Amino acid sequence: MSNFNINKMTGISYQSISQTSKASSPDWEKIPHKGMERPSEAEFDGKIDELAKELAKARYQNDGSQYESLSAAGDKLRAQYLSLVSPDRKTMAKEASEFMKQSRSDAGNKESEKPLNLIDYLNKKDGIGEYGENGRSHNVSKSGTSTTVVYGGNDLQPDSFEIKGSKAGQTVMGYASGNWYHINTPEEQSMQKSFLSRLNKAEERYYRQYVSGDTLNFGQDMESSTENKNKVDYLA
């Protein structure tokens, strides 16, 4: 769900989901990933402007339900916008799920065959031998030119795992406590900042139109003096 507040006095406007989001199953309409259907830049201009106009209207009318519905649409548009630089999370998540399912099955068979002795337990705790860092098993699988690195859970969170594009790379997706989550890459963070800046500036322009009763044409900019006078940093 988007983080937003509707308050005509403080002027808080749309904010997309941040670097991370959690859900019981991946929502591939809202999680940016390589291969998403993506409008052209010209189409993005129109879609962002139209969404901003509707958000401003709902904000002015203090209609929380409508604003939340529009924010969900904004999250989908944001994911499409970011997908230009996104990793192939959809394929990586599928590979990781299949690997962890097989790993749990294999682990169950091993446990039934032979319980851990003291040395096995200490090796697992210290991440020695067949166990990865902090006692987490890991696997590297290749799909085409990409590499998916899966780090399994530990004693405290056995039913969890992280997904990285490479051993030295950052975590881009993961699963823990029954929820999937994703983390934006630095490139995605940069594009998200641009997306929010464009959307919030347009929303504020239309919101001022509703407050003042002025009539602005679609996409028309306010005078620079008015912009500076009422400027609010929505990325703070």
Side-chain angles (χ1 to χ4, degrees), residues 21-37:
S21 63
K22 293 184 178 182
S24 57
S25 60
D27 185 346
W28 296 116
E29 288 190 324
K30 294 183 179 180
I31 296 177
H33 60 279
K34 182 180 179 181
M36 290 186 78
E37 184 177 346

Side-chain angles (χ1 to χ4, degrees), residues 39-234:
S40 66
E41 291 302 319
E43 290 174 318
F44 264 121
D45 289 340
K47 287 179 178 292
I48 289 174
D49 207 279
E50 184 60 34
L51 176 61
K53 188 174 185 179
E54 294 302 316
L55 284 166
K57 182 177 180 180
R59 176 177 156 205
Y60 177 72
Q61 295 175 341
N62 208 31
D63 188 340
S65 177
Q66 176 67 0
Y67 199 98
E68 183 173 3
S69 177
L70 291 166
S71 295
D75 288 338
K76 294 179 181 179
L77 189 63
R78 173 201 60 88
Q80 292 176 332
Y81 189 77
L82 269 59
S83 68
L84 184 67
V85 296
S86 297
D88 192 0
R89 287 189 176 92
K90 196 170 186 178
T91 297
M92 296 167 76
K94 181 180 179 181
E95 291 178 348
S97 296
E98 291 173 350
F99 166 69
M100 291 305 297
K101 183 179 180 180
Q102 184 61 47
S103 296
R104 294 185 190 107
S105 176
D106 293 343
N109 292 335
K110 287 182 180 179
E111 289 296 327
S112 63
E113 292 172 1
K114 185 187 75 170
L116 291 177
N117 56 35
L118 179 59
I119 294 177
D120 290 332
Y121 175 79
L122 292 175
N123 284 345
K124 182 176 181 180
K125 182 178 179 182
D126 296 333
I128 299 174
E130 65 180 297
Y131 302 100
E133 59 183 40
N134 299 321
R136 298 187 300 173
S137 59
H138 68 275
N139 179 67
V140 180
S141 62
K142 294 186 178 181
S143 174
T145 58
S146 64
T147 300
T148 301
V149 180
V150 183
Y151 285 93
N154 51 35
D155 288 339
L156 296 178
Q157 288 187 307
D159 190 25
S160 64
F161 56 88
E162 298 175 357
I163 305 173
K164 299 182 178 183
S166 65
K167 284 187 177 181
Q170 74 164 90
T171 298
V172 295
M173 281 200 78
Y175 182 87
S177 303
N179 288 311
W180 282 90
Y181 62 90
H182 87 273
I183 302 175
N184 284 348
T185 64
E187 293 81 5
E188 288 175 318
Q189 291 179 39
S190 178
M191 288 199 71
Q192 177 163 284
K193 184 176 181 180
S194 173
F195 175 85
L196 290 177
S197 177
R198 292 170 63 180
L199 181 58
N200 287 340
K201 285 178 180 178
E203 180 188 339
E204 184 64 13
R205 182 177 66 243
Y206 284 119
Y207 176 71
R208 291 172 187 167
Q209 171 190 338
Y210 287 118
V211 171
S212 65
D214 293 340
T215 301
L216 292 178
N217 295 326
F218 185 78
Q220 180 183 341
D221 288 330
M222 297 286 288
E223 293 183 3
S224 58
S225 59
T226 307
E227 279 280 343
N228 294 330
K229 180 180 180 181
N230 299 286
K231 185 176 181 180
V232 180
D233 186 359
Y234 294 102

